[in-house]
Structure formats: C-alpha cells, structure tokens
Amino acid sequence: MPSCPPASFADTRAPLYNRRWLLATVLSFVLIALWDAGGQDLALAQLWGTAQGFALRDDHFLVTYMHQGMRNLGWVVVLALSLGVWLPFGVLRQLPTARRVQLLVSILASLAVVAILKRSSATSCPWDLSVFGGVAEYVSHWRWGLHDGGAGHCFPAGHAAAGFSFVGGYFALARDTPRAARWWLAVALVMGLLLGLGQQMRGAHYMSHTLWTAWLCWTAGLAIDMGMARRRSQAAD
C-alpha cells in the first residue's frame, strides 16, 4: 500500500481558495452596500447625538478603556504574535512557520489598508456635522475628493480595526486548526463590533465605517491567503 503524502505536500496541492470564503466576501459587500444606500448611518447616529453634540464623546470609560486601553492591548497582542512566529505558544504551536507568518502579515496588512484609506478620505466624523453641533455637511464616504467642510480622515473606522485586523488570522488557522479558527474569527468580529459601537456612541464614526472596516480586514486576509496558497502551489510544480 503506498504511503500517504506528508501534510505539507497535501497542503500545497489544496485548492487555491475556498469558494465559500469568496461567496461570503461578495455577499457581505452587497449587504453593507445596501446599508449605505439605505441611509441608515445618520438615523443610527441620532440615537446618541443631538444638536448639542454627543453626550458620551468624552465619557471616561469609552475614552480611557474602550479607546486608549483597547488600542494599547491590541498592539501588545500584535507584539506577542510577532514573537510567536519564532517562539510559538498556544495554538501557534500547531501551525507551520509559514502559517504563523501569514497570520502576522494579515494583521499588519489589514491595519495598513485601513490607515491608508483613512488618511486619504475626505469624510468627516459624525461629531463634525452641523446636525450634531459641528460645521460639516453630510457627504457619502464614497464621494472621494469631495470635502464636507469638516476635518475629514474619518473613513473607515480605524479604532475598530484593533479588533477586525485579527480576522485574517482565521485563514491562517482554518486548515490546521479549524475549531480554533472559528473561535478566533468570532472573537475578532465581536471585539471589532464592540470597539466600533463604542466609537459610534461617542460620535467618532458611523456604523457603515465599522462595517466596511470589517469587510476590508476580511478581504485583506483572504487576499493574503490566496496569494500564499498560489505561491505554495507554484513551488510544488
């Protein structure tokens, strides 16, 4: 009886992508675009904002713990995962080095994509709008280059990326530790949504900003996974 090929060989012959992942990417894009088209951002922002502004803008818990504290914690986790590439711990021990590198790269790439888009965006934050006591007028974040009269640089949601940037780790974990991958994805999504909601309550972002950040981080992670899978397949030919 012929022996089974080693796991690494079988992995290089695996499909370059999972069609369910691509389907989830397309469907989530459509759903978020429908949220945008429905104009729900302002309606949701008005749950916490009035003509006098956002009462929770300087809330101690939201600013100190949900914003500053969670941002610092996120960087601590990134540092730990960086060390884990060479000194694996926990679930990282079950991953080959290439997967550990992929996990770290997906996080950093997601953060970079969000930061670059945010830097180039002319969209201002809800607390800058005249309807909430500011000076800006509402302009869709898809109207690139059109300034709304405010400070801009508010799309997508940078702080929510402290949670969503870890979504790409799901792809790095999925083939070797599928159960851990599902937990990883769930935690990353929940944390990103909570951080985004905290900023929404302060008037720092619209819900669509948070949703698009989640989509961007997922897509960045998927693109990196597809690229690395293609590279492994080419190396095996």
Side-chain angles (χ1 to χ4, degrees):
M1 177 180 294
S3 59
C4 295
S8 58
F9 178 85
D11 178 66
T12 60
R13 297 297 181 177
L16 297 184
Y17 55 86
N18 185 318
R19 288 180 175 82
R20 289 177 298 176
W21 295 346
L22 289 178
L23 180 60
T25 305
V26 173
L27 287 178
S28 59
F29 180 93
V30 172
L31 291 174
I32 301 172
L34 288 175
W35 171 277
D36 263 358
Q40 303 302 314
D41 276 342
L42 280 176
L44 191 59
Q46 288 171 338
L47 292 178
W48 295 283
T50 67
Q52 288 71 47
F54 288 82
L56 295 176
R57 178 170 180 171
D58 299 314
D59 180 79
H60 177 72
F61 176 78
L62 293 178
V63 174
T64 303
Y65 298 102
M66 289 294 288
H67 189 254
Q68 298 171 354
M70 294 305 296
R71 179 177 57 192
N72 293 338
L73 177 60
W75 283 114
V76 169
V77 175
V78 171
L79 177 59
L81 292 174
S82 301
L83 296 174
V85 172
W86 295 277
L87 300 172
F89 57 88
V91 71
L92 296 181
R93 293 193 183 120
Q94 302 179 51
L95 302 180
T97 302
R99 298 276 193 223
R100 299 198 295 268
V101 171
Q102 176 183 341
L103 190 154
L104 179 62
V105 169
S106 68
I107 295 171
L108 297 178
S110 296
L111 292 172
V113 168
V114 172
I116 291 170
L117 289 176
K118 187 178 176 71
R119 182 64 181 170
S120 59
S121 173
T123 300
S124 297
C125 302
W127 59 34
D128 289 325
L129 264 63
S130 58
V131 69
F132 298 122
V135 297
E137 297 301 323
Y138 179 78
V139 174
S140 170
H141 44 255
W142 290 116
R143 303 183 69 179
W144 290 93
L146 181 60
H147 293 272
D148 53 21
H153 309 301
C154 197
F155 173 80
H159 186 55
F164 289 136
S165 62
F166 293 92
V167 163
Y170 168 76
F171 301 106
L173 292 163
R175 294 177 180 85
D176 299 287
T177 56
R179 186 170 183 272
R182 290 190 292 269
W183 276 103
W184 183 285
L185 178 62
V187 171
L189 290 175
V190 169
M191 290 306 301
L193 287 171
L194 287 176
L195 294 176
L197 180 61
Q199 290 295 83
Q200 169 100 30
M201 295 167 68
R202 296 181 62 224
H205 285 291
Y206 296 110
M207 180 53 65
S208 65
H209 294 187
T210 297
L211 297 176
W212 283 120
T213 295
W215 188 86
L216 288 167
C217 292
W218 166 272
T219 304
L222 177 58
I224 289 170
D225 183 75
M226 291 175 64
M228 295 191 72
R230 181 176 296 275
R231 181 177 179 181
R232 288 191 296 269
S233 179
Q234 291 173 343
D237 291 338

